[in-house]
Each structure stands twice: as structure tokens, then as C-alpha cells.
Amino acid sequence: MKACEPRMCGNLSITYPFWINGVHPSYCGNPSLEIDCRHGKPYLVDSYDTSYYMKHVFYENNSFVAISSILENVIGDCNIPEFNVSIGLGPFEISEMNKVLLFFYDCTDIQPPSADYLHVTCNTNQSQSANESFVRLYRNDKYGPENLLNNCTISKRPVLGWNQQPVDQYMSLMKDGFLLELKVMSCEGCKESNGACGFNTSTSAFMCICSNGTTYPVSCPVNFKQGNSIDFLTNSLLLVSFN
């Protein structure tokens, strides 16, 4: 079962439901949670343009913090994203614990909004005038139409923390990343039975790999040697890889 043991990528330990290509066999994790370890950062292969990487991972509650590497190339503290977050179609969703930055740009014929809206003094392109862009920070994603500015193009970004940061530090908020919640089967029962967690691509389901190579849907039985393999060929391959 050593093939699926945790491996380090930078300062993060990578294990089920993630797996590192070229390091772990593909059965060690969910196919949509493949990691490409580049320059010490764990990038999600299936993320948009493979541009998102994990900053933190919390295995105990199936969540992780993701950051777009595109933000690293932004010079200065002034930038307006012209598109919403599109991280991919993996088994995760953007957490409701995030706050939301709402950007309004290319605004025309607009009255100056309230003080809750930050007047952004930089532009998304050269054709815009500086007084046509605004940003507002919301405590959640449940804002109503009364909070939207008319005659503007709108984009939004989830951000992880409030941390007493004012909205004029919105670039810092975006660079801190946002929280995603995993929708995968827990590994705890399998680990408690001394098994290794993995993913059966034949059934597209979780599997628990026992020390003799047999696999089970949840955990290893007390006397796993008497259990039946769910797939003889798969288990034979597993045994070869473990030896």
C-alpha cells in the first residue's frame, strides 16, 4: 500500500482524494483531483487552464484553499478581473463561507454610488476612464438586485477572509485565495481498518485497498484475507505495484 502514501509537494502533504501525477498511481485518488507538482506548488490539472493551485488543504473537513496563478503576474495592487471564477468540473464546490468581491466596470451614465462602493482608480483597459469602475465587498453571495449598479459590466470573485482588510486592499484579498469544499467519500473508515484509500475507475467509486491487495467499497474487513476482490485484474496490478 506504499504506492498511495502521502507525498510532499512544496510544504503540502498530498494524499487521497488527491494524487500527484508521475508520483502516485492514478488509482490513489479521484481522477478529477490530479495534481501536477510544479515549482513546489500543487496545481489542479483539471482546473481552468490548469492555473489554480492549492495553498492549504484540510483533510479533516474535506476542504482546501485555491489560488489562481494568474494573479501572481499582476503588477501592483490595481486590477479588475473581467471574468468570474471558473475552476473546473471536479468533485468540489465554492464554499458559502467565502466572502464575495463584486466588480462593476465599463459603467456608463451612472450616478456616484454610496460609500460602500470603492471607486477603482485603475482601468481594465486603456479605453476606460477611471471613474467608471467600482468594487464592493459582500459578506456572502446572497446579495439582491438592489445592490447592483445598472449600466455596468459585472464580475465577481470569492475571497476567503475578511481579516479586517478594507475593500481597497481587494488585490490582497484575491491573492489569499478562496475556500472549496470537496464532495468525496470520507477516507477515515478505510484508514481505521488499516487500508489505503483509492478510487476504482471501473466503478467510478471509492475503494479501500487492503494490505493483501484486495479492495472493498468502504473499509477492510476484520479478516480481510477471506474477502473477495471486486476485480481480480485490478488487484493483481495493485499487488505488483506494491512489491
Side-chain angles (χ1 to χ4, degrees), residues 80-81 101-105 134-135 153-155 157 170 174:
I80 298 177
L101 281 170
L102 212 58
F103 294 89
F104 306 88
Y105 60 97
F134 305 90
V135 60
T153 302
I154 300 174
S155 66
R157 287 295 180 94
Y170 65 89
M174 289 196 294

Side-chain angles (χ1 to χ4, degrees), residues 213-216 227-235:
T214 54
T215 57
Y216 290 85
N228 294 320
S229 168
I230 62 171
D231 187 314
F232 178 78
L233 179 59
T234 298
N235 290 318

Side-chain angles (χ1 to χ4, degrees), residues 189-234:
C190 179
K191 289 194 298 185
E192 289 173 0
S193 68
N194 296 316
C197 300
F199 192 88
N200 189 322
T201 55
S202 298
T203 61
S204 297
F206 173 89
M207 68 177 178
C208 185
I209 308 165
C210 304
S211 60
N212 69 343
T214 54
T215 57
Y216 290 85
V218 179
S219 60
C220 299
V222 176
N223 187 1
F224 61 82
K225 290 184 179 180
Q226 296 179 359
N228 294 320
S229 168
I230 62 171
D231 187 314
F232 178 78
L233 179 59
T234 298

Side-chain angles (χ1 to χ4, degrees), residues 2-3 33 55 58 72 89-90 100 116 144 148 151 164 194-195 225:
K2 291 184 178 181
L33 296 175
K55 181 180 181 181
F58 310 103
E72 297 179 342
L89 299 176
V100 176
D116 293 332
L148 304 180
N151 302 317
Q164 304 302 315
N194 296 316
K225 290 184 179 180

Side-chain angles (χ1 to χ4, degrees), residues 69-120:
S69 61
I70 295 174
L71 293 173
E72 297 179 342
N73 300 320
V74 174
I75 299 175
D77 296 321
C78 202
N79 181 267
I80 298 177
E82 296 184 331
F83 53 88
N84 295 330
V85 167
S86 178
I87 194 168
L89 299 176
F92 44 72
E93 63 185 21
I94 296 175
S95 173
E96 292 185 355
M97 293 179 64
N98 292 297
K99 312 303 183 285
V100 176
L101 281 170
L102 212 58
F103 294 89
F104 306 88
Y105 60 97
D106 285 335
C107 300
T108 59
D109 299 325
I110 184 172
Q111 296 296 318
S114 68
D116 293 332
Y117 298 83
L118 172 70
H119 170 208
V120 179

Side-chain angles (χ1 to χ4, degrees), residues 7-26 28-47 50-57 59 64-67 87 91-92 180 182:
R7 297 289 190 270
M8 297 300 294
C9 178
N11 61 354
L12 288 187
S13 176
I14 306 300
T15 187
Y16 177 88
F18 303 98
W19 58 284
I20 305 174
N21 59 26
V23 177
H24 290 123
S26 59
C28 290
N30 189 293
S32 297
L33 296 175
E34 178 183 359
I35 295 297
D36 183 15
C37 187
R38 305 197 310 264
H39 311 297
K41 293 180 179 179
Y43 285 83
L44 290 160
V45 171
D46 281 355
S47 65
T50 66
S51 62
Y52 286 89
Y53 66 91
M54 295 192 299
K55 181 180 181 181
H56 303 292
V57 58
Y59 293 106
F64 65 100
V65 174
I67 299 176
I87 194 168
F92 44 72
L180 290 147
L182 291 161

